[in-house]
Amino acid sequence: MRRIVYLCFLLVLTTTALCQQLQHRSHTVTDKLAWWSAARFGLFIHWGLYAQTAGDWNGRPTRGGEHFMLYEKIPLHSYAQIAKDFNPTSFDADSWVKAAKDAGMKYIVITAKHHDGFAMFRSPSSDYNIVQQTPWQRDPMQDLAAACKKYDIKLGFYYSLGRDWADPDVPTNWPTRGGRSNSWDYPDEDAKDLTKYIARKVKPQLRELLTQYGPIGLIWFDTPELFSKRQSEDIRRFINDLQPQCIVNSRIGNNLGDYTVVEQSLVSKTPENWEACITMSANWGYNRHDTIWKSPEILVRNLVEVVSKGGNLLLNVGPKGDGTFPPESIARLRNIGDWMVMNGEAIYGSRAWKVSGEGNLLLGEQEQLLTGQTAGKQVDGKENIKDAVNDATSKEVVPDIRFTAKDNCVYVFIRSPNKRFAMIKSLAAGQAKIDKISLLGSRENIPWTQHAAALQLPIPQANNGNIPVYVYKVALVN
């Protein structure tokens, strides 16, 4: 009997200790993610040798965007020659980071090493890098780190984990075995040893990224491919040992990331700690043939859509080979920044409310609510990662309503309205007790009526060319 009691006592102690460890880990992750969760909006930068070619190879447009080395099966020694012409003398880290700051962004993630294997930083462990292979002979990450510190922007590094077309020991398995490997230079897939690649390149370069530039906000991995759970765990520990506060995205593989990534989509199966990364145009990297640009209105709608669902938006810019942002990107960042000056309060530090939105429920002054009129729809992108050019975000612009919440307030986003009044069912009498309502960016008193069926709000009429996404701050009674 004593033995049974003793065993039960040990079981209770063990269970309690395990629960405490799990709770401590949960608190640790939450604490590390605090800045990221509050930020809600970041800048993604895809910059590499592919920017120099601007979408051309051998006198014709390439296939595969910034992945054209794979699509065109270009031998490494030929692709590496691009570096001889890569001389981005117009690069100005201060202007890049200031553009992000002025757009209302709180963090930056830049491609330190993409799938082509070329390091865009000083890498003592691999001479295949921008300092040693280009006539520029500078480390842009050093300048970016200094500019980020100046403007209080968190710096993060993108690192292609399970793909590297410059290394002989990187097997892949998508969409089929060897499907994203450098099979023309290194055809023997069976001879590739991932452990050698990790020891020779991944760990040394991660150490460089985490020791050469001061505190790093996050490591944004891509394409874990054939990384085993043990290998992902080892990389995770390696990062924690160097910078314990550095967060890691889900693409470290094997469910070991701090948050989930959704690519070129505005929806996630994960209800919390998720990030959507999307392009402004069709491509991630600069391509002079790319003429499909999302409007500032669409981009703000995208931001609101993601944040209303509790996520972050990481919006991409592909700088040119000379080191400058395309003018189309600069214009859109400025437009978004103007909108954020007035409405950022509803974005930063916000959380998802009890509902993310109400679809298309903007009705005219003379129309009656709840008559079955639900014209229009919001079509979200499908959550499926393809490759290269893979934009699945909605391009529809329809009147609708979205929500975020913070403290004791609900923020009501009226997106792309075409009528004089909005009727919000979720804030009807009986649904919420309202203290006061204000329109962000305006000092005018707002006439509002809380009906039994819906809260009625007026739509601002003077647009003056601004992005037609309006935000009401609804303070609730405690």
Side-chain angles (χ1 to χ4, degrees), residues 135-395:
W136 196 44
Q137 297 182 338
R138 284 178 52 191
D139 182 353
M141 305 306 170
Q142 191 169 30
D143 292 345
L144 276 174
C148 284
K149 183 178 181 180
K150 173 183 175 180
Y151 290 105
D152 192 25
I153 297 285
K154 292 281 189 179
L155 176 62
F157 291 127
Y158 167 112
Y159 193 89
S160 178
L161 191 58
R163 295 183 195 174
D164 191 316
W165 302 324
D167 194 283
D169 282 308
V170 189
T172 63
N173 65 341
W174 189 87
T176 58
R177 183 173 181 273
R180 288 297 179 270
S181 300
N182 181 344
S183 58
W184 50 99
D185 286 315
Y186 314 115
D188 190 351
E189 200 74 2
D190 291 329
K192 296 174 182 179
D193 188 341
L194 196 59
T195 58
K196 292 181 179 178
Y197 160 67
I198 293 171
R200 180 177 60 249
K201 191 168 187 178
V202 175
K203 281 189 171 181
Q205 288 195 328
L206 286 177
R207 181 180 295 279
E208 291 157 5
L209 291 171
L210 291 167
T211 57
Q212 294 180 166
Y213 309 103
I216 301 303
L218 65 94
I219 296 293
W220 206 102
F221 286 119
D222 202 4
T223 58
E225 291 283 352
L226 290 168
F227 265 64
S228 68
K229 184 175 183 180
R230 180 174 295 180
Q231 288 167 332
S232 294
E233 288 173 339
D234 184 43
I235 292 296
R236 183 75 213 227
R237 283 192 298 269
F238 185 79
I239 293 170
N240 288 343
D241 288 343
L242 291 171
Q243 291 209 28
Q245 294 304 309
C246 181
I247 62 176
V248 178
N249 72 343
S250 58
R251 293 186 179 179
I252 192 173
N254 299 289
N255 299 312
L256 291 171
D258 295 313
Y259 66 91
T260 300
V261 169
V262 177
E263 182 175 327
Q264 293 286 50
S265 174
L266 306 178
V267 292
S268 174
K269 296 177 181 177
T270 303
E272 59 182 14
N273 296 339
W274 70 283
E275 174 187 74
C277 57
I278 67 170
T279 54
M280 282 192 189
S281 57
N283 291 273
W284 295 98
Y286 177 68
N287 189 314
R288 69 183 185 88
H289 304 289
D290 190 350
T291 59
I292 304 173
W293 290 86
K294 299 179 180 73
S295 69
E297 182 178 355
I298 283 286
L299 294 173
V300 167
R301 287 176 61 95
N302 290 165
L303 173 61
V304 171
E305 187 73 21
V306 171
V307 176
S308 73
K309 296 170 181 174
N312 284 22
L313 181 67
L314 190 61
L315 182 60
N316 184 74
V317 168
K320 295 181 177 182
D322 66 0
T324 62
F325 282 3
E328 297 89 345
S329 297
I330 294 173
R332 282 157 177 77
L333 289 175
R334 286 174 178 165
N335 289 148
I336 296 170
D338 290 342
W339 185 87
M340 288 290 283
V341 167
M342 286 195 299
N343 303 295
E345 174 187 334
I347 299 295
Y348 305 129
S350 67
R351 64 183 186 278
W353 194 43
K354 63 180 182 180
V355 292
S356 64
E358 294 187 0
N360 180 27
L361 289 176
L362 298 182
L363 302 180
E365 182 180 11
Q366 302 302 320
E367 296 175 284
Q368 298 298 314
L369 183 65
L370 305 179
T371 59
Q373 298 184 47
T374 56
K377 59 181 179 178
Q378 177 68 37
V379 180
D380 291 313
K382 296 179 181 179
E383 186 177 350
N384 61 333
I385 298 176
K386 296 180 181 178
D387 205 13
V389 181
N390 62 339
D391 189 359
T393 59
S394 172
K395 309 305 182 296

